[in-house]
Structure formats: structure tokens, C-alpha cells
Amino acid sequence: MAAPAGNALVDGPILRTLLRLAWPNVIALSAGTCVVIAETSYIGRLGVESLAAMALLFPCVILTMTMSGGAMGGGVASSIARALGAGELERASTLASHALLIGLGFGLTFMFGMLIFGPQLLGLLGGRGTVLANAIGYAQIFFGGAVLPWLLNTMAGVLRGTGNMKLPSLLILNSAVCQIILGGTLGLGLGPIPRFGMRGVAAGSLTAYAISLSIMAWFLFSGRARVIPKVRGLRIQWAMFVDILKVGLISCFSPLQSVLTISIFTHMLAGFGTAVLAGYGIGARLEFMLTSIAFAVGIASVPMIGMTVGAGRIARARRIAWIAGTISFVSVGAIASIIAIFPDLWVNLFTDDAAVRAASHQYLSTAAPMYAFIGLATSMYFASQGAAKVIGPVLAQTARLLFIASGGWWLSTHDATAANFFTLAAASMVVLGVLSSLSVVLTRWEPRAGPVIETSPELS
């Protein structure tokens, strides 16, 4: 079946359609940025040890969110968009059901993995004393409910695959407001509510996710969505798992390597003291905030590219990818460069500690201008998801990991300063952006031609 006539994602003007899909994500993720700022701000009020604990936890938390939202969520959106682009609505509904089973399985894996091995992992990352105790307290609460963000982001992937960006974005906005209110109230205490510290911040996040998950599940199963997950009479089909996992599972290696890169880097910086670690954590949060802009544009390109590839229009799909990449590179680079020149615009939000401020200034002035390449790599990653050709960007992330590990080892053996490590981080961002772009250029997006079956004339 051909794609539906008048489908703007397949036939409409690229830039206008892309921006129409991206703006709800930008608004919602801007609210997510407010969560980052607010959370870091009131964690800063709990003390420098709590700030360092959050920097220690940041790789684990960001792995959960990026793997469920960007990696597997993108794989879900890609598979459903390709099915809809080919006109297969029944297949899209079956894929949605299998996607929810995948999300449930991964959520349980994260939950049990962090509850059992989390303390040892945080210790290996360099956590000691009060810093380690605060990090473990947060992890026990947050990862005890890891199924919630996994199911939430899986459902969001289903809706985004249909081209519906508004509801997932509205619920991200809802979660952001709830996180700011509940996390601050439970973390710092308010009136008769006691101060629960890091555990309270984690509990506020989970409560916000639970509220948004309930609303999204109601919308998805009530028949209001274009694709309704098939429940009655569902038969497990391994081909459906394969269609999702061939993109989603491979995509998961990208955030996994990214977090491993951050973890290695965090471990190296831990040797320079709590102030440097906390200062880097403030800078890393800016990177996360700006990457969310590229995420908003990139995830909007997934259904456009997926449906276009499903309809067999490969040249248009590539144009979508490069337009999305250009938007991400320019927008992320412009904001990051301003912060690099005026770092106090960001640092003043979080701390008054002189040593932490000095470390943050040094990191931002060195690495922030290179955030543009992170934005470019993010868009290329999502574009490749839409085309179901994601191995190239994953290998680019592998190259960055090896670059950080080998460069960090060399610096460690030559009495390098923290500034040298910050330069290494900036150079690794350029490596990632360039290699991710090359992977899109060199990868064939056209479907492979099937075997030609020779036939002989029938004899009557």
C-alpha cells in the first residue's frame, strides 16, 4: 500500500514541516532544562558533597533517560513510521504492543541492576564518604522505579512514530513542572514536610513520571491515537521484536558508550578533588541542556525520514537529515558560544563556591564552543534511526570513547592538569560530530534489491 495522499511528512516542504514537528519538543525540553537548573540549584543548597554526588550519578541517570527516550524510543518511532509510510496500519499496532514489552523488560533490568550493583559501580566511579552515601540514597529511590521512565518514553516513541509530537511534549512539560515542585519540596522541605535530601529529589522525579505515564497510557489505549497497541488476541511475533531492536538495540550502544565516556572522564577528574568534579558537573549539565535542543530537532526528523524511506523516497530522506543537522549545529553552537564567553550566566545559577566556580569557568571556556558538534552528531544519530541504518553513528561514538580513554591515559602518565583534560573533552566532541556526519554520507540508505527469480515459460 502506498503512503496516504497528502501526508505532509512525506510530501510537504521539509524545513517548515520539520520546524512544525520540532517546536513542541523544543518547548517541552526547555522545560526539562528548567528542571536541570532547578534540580542542580537546590541540590547545591544541600552542599558541595551533594553537588559532587549528582555529578557522580549523572552518567547513570542520563543513561536511563537517553537509552529509553532517544535510543530505544527512537527505534520504536522508526519502526512505526516505516510501517505507516508503507501503509501497514495493522503492523504498526502490533509493533506498538511489542515495543511496550521491550520497555517493560529494559525497565526491570535497570531496576534490579542498579539496586544490586549500584553501590559498587558508584564506588568504582570515585565516590567516597558522604559523596558516595548521598549518591547511593538517590540511586535507591530513582532506580527503584526505573520501569516508569522506560514505559513513559516507549509510549512517547509510539506517538512520535505517528507524527504526534504535541502530546509527548505536553507531558514532558507536565513532568517538568511536577519535578520542580515535588523535587524541591521533598528535597529541601517545606512547612510540615521534612527535608529528605537527595532521596526526596529522586522521589519527586518518579512521582512526576507516574502522573505523565498515566495520562499517556489513557490516551494511547482509549482509541484517540492513530496507532492503538494491540492487546486482545496478541501473538508474540519475533519479527516484530527484530524490527524494533535492529534499530533500538544497536542505538542503545551509543548512549551506553557516551555514558562510559563520561564515566571514564569523571573518574579521571575525581583525582583533582571535589571542587573540580562539581565544577565539571555544572558544565556537563549545560551540555545535556543544549543537547536537548538537538534532540528536539533530531527526534522530529525520525518520523519524517522513516515514512519517507518507507515510501521509497531516499533522496528526500537525506535532505531531511542534512537540514536537521544544520539546524542543530547552528542553534547549539550559538548558545554554547555565548556561555563560553560569559560563563557566569550559567555558573551563577548553581554555586558561590570560589573553587567550583573557577573549575566551571575553565571547563566552559574550553569545551562549550565544541557543543555544536555534539548537536550535529545527535541529529545524524536520529536521522540514521529513521533510515534504520544506525551502525555508523554508533561506531562514531566508539571512536570518541577510544579517543577519551587513550588520550586520558596519556595525560594521566604525563602529570597533566585539569585544563588539559578539559581540552581532551572538547577535541572528542569534534571527533564525534565529524565521524557521525561521515557515516551518513557513506552509508547506503536504499533497500537492498531482492534476489531475481528466473522463471520458465509455462507449457499448456
Side-chain angles (χ1 to χ4, degrees):
M1 295 175 62
N7 187 344
L9 276 67
V10 178
D11 302 311
I14 293 175
L15 180 59
R16 188 169 66 191
T17 304
L18 185 63
L19 294 177
R20 178 175 61 83
L21 293 176
W23 75 261
N25 295 329
V26 172
I27 292 176
L29 292 169
S30 297
T33 299
C34 295
V35 173
V36 172
I37 296 172
E39 191 175 81
T40 307
S41 179
Y42 48 65
I43 286 176
R45 295 185 184 182
L46 296 174
V48 174
E49 290 82 4
S50 295
L51 267 179
M54 202 63 215
L56 200 67
L57 274 165
F58 191 66
C60 302
V61 175
I62 201 64
L63 177 63
T64 305
M65 302 311 297
T66 55
M67 194 176 279
S68 61
M72 194 61 71
V76 171
S78 172
S79 62
I80 288 178
R82 283 182 279 111
L84 292 175
E88 299 174 348
L89 183 59
E90 181 69 18
R91 176 181 176 84
S93 297
T94 306
L95 282 167
S97 302
H98 286 72
L100 292 175
L101 294 176
I102 291 172
L104 179 62
F106 272 86
L108 291 173
T109 301
F110 267 81
M111 181 181 75
F112 288 115
M114 284 300 294
L115 290 179
I116 297 171
F117 302 108
Q120 294 89 334
L121 175 62
L122 294 170
L124 288 174
L125 292 177
R128 298 290 184 273
T130 305
V131 173
L132 179 60
N134 287 341
I136 291 174
Y138 186 99
Q140 287 174 338
I141 300 298
F142 183 86
F143 288 99
V147 171
L148 297 178
W150 267 94
L151 286 178
L152 177 63
N153 284 324
T154 300
M155 290 183 183
V158 172
L159 290 174
R160 285 172 174 147
T162 68
N164 183 347
M165 300 288 168
K166 291 183 179 179
L167 181 64
S169 298
L170 178 63
L171 292 180
I172 290 174
L173 181 62
N174 174 72
S175 290
V177 174
C178 292
Q179 278 181 266
I180 291 172
I181 296 173
L182 296 175
T185 300
L186 296 176
L188 298 176
L190 180 66
I193 301 175
R195 178 173 177 161
F196 291 104
M198 295 285 284
R199 291 176 180 270
V201 176
S205 297
L206 286 183
T207 305
Y209 293 144
I211 294 170
S212 294
L213 176 61
S214 301
I215 298 171
M216 191 174 293
W218 167 79
F219 182 86
L220 201 57
F221 287 97
S222 65
R224 290 168 172 78
R226 183 178 177 185
V227 171
I228 305 170
K230 194 173 183 180
V231 177
R232 291 185 179 179
L234 174 67
R235 291 185 300 111
I236 301 298
Q237 302 177 43
W238 293 108
M240 299 294 168
F241 287 127
V242 169
D243 193 36
I244 297 170
L245 293 175
K246 74 179 182 182
V247 177
L249 187 59
I250 296 174
S251 296
C252 284
F253 284 98
S254 184
L256 181 62
Q257 292 179 117
S258 178
V259 167
L260 185 57
T261 301
I262 295 173
S263 300
I264 292 173
F265 197 70
T266 301
H267 180 71
M268 292 173 179
L269 289 180
F272 291 97
T274 301
V276 171
L277 186 61
Y280 165 69
I282 291 173
R285 290 224 155 197
L286 175 66
E287 179 184 337
F288 169 71
M289 180 199 81
L290 295 181
T291 302
S292 67
I293 298 175
F295 179 96
V297 177
I299 200 67
S301 73
V302 172
M304 289 184 70
I305 293 174
M307 289 188 188
T308 305
V309 168
R313 301 178 60 182
I314 306 302
R316 174 182 169 87
R318 286 189 174 276
R319 286 198 301 273
I320 296 170
W322 292 119
I323 290 173
T326 302
I327 295 172
S328 296
F329 183 86
V330 172
S331 57
V332 172
I335 299 173
S337 296
I338 292 173
I339 299 297
I341 298 171
F342 306 105
D344 284 338
L345 293 174
W346 180 253
V347 178
N348 285 347
L349 297 172
F350 307 115
T351 183
D352 294 323
D353 187 279
V356 176
R357 289 173 62 85
S360 296
H361 285 186
Q362 193 171 45
Y363 177 76
L364 290 172
S365 63
T366 304
M370 301 301 108
Y371 288 173
F373 289 92
I374 296 288
L376 176 62
T378 301
S379 276
M380 295 299 100
Y381 169 74
F382 281 114
S384 299
Q385 281 188 331
K389 303 287 184 179
V390 80
I391 292 178
V394 172
L395 292 178
Q397 194 66 253
T398 304
R400 185 195 185 195
L401 172 61
L402 295 175
F403 184 84
I404 284 286
S406 58
W409 172 82
W410 190 88
L411 290 175
S412 298
T413 58
H414 287 76
D415 298 323
T417 64
N420 299 133
F421 281 92
F422 294 161
T423 302
L424 176 68
S428 74
M429 297 173 191
V430 178
V431 169
L432 178 62
V434 171
L435 292 182
S436 297
S437 300
L438 282 176
S439 72
V440 173
V441 172
L442 299 175
T443 301
R444 176 187 174 91
W445 282 11
E446 293 81 5
R448 294 180 180 179
V452 177
I453 302 175
E454 296 184 3
T455 58
S456 56
E458 282 190 18
L459 296 177
S460 57

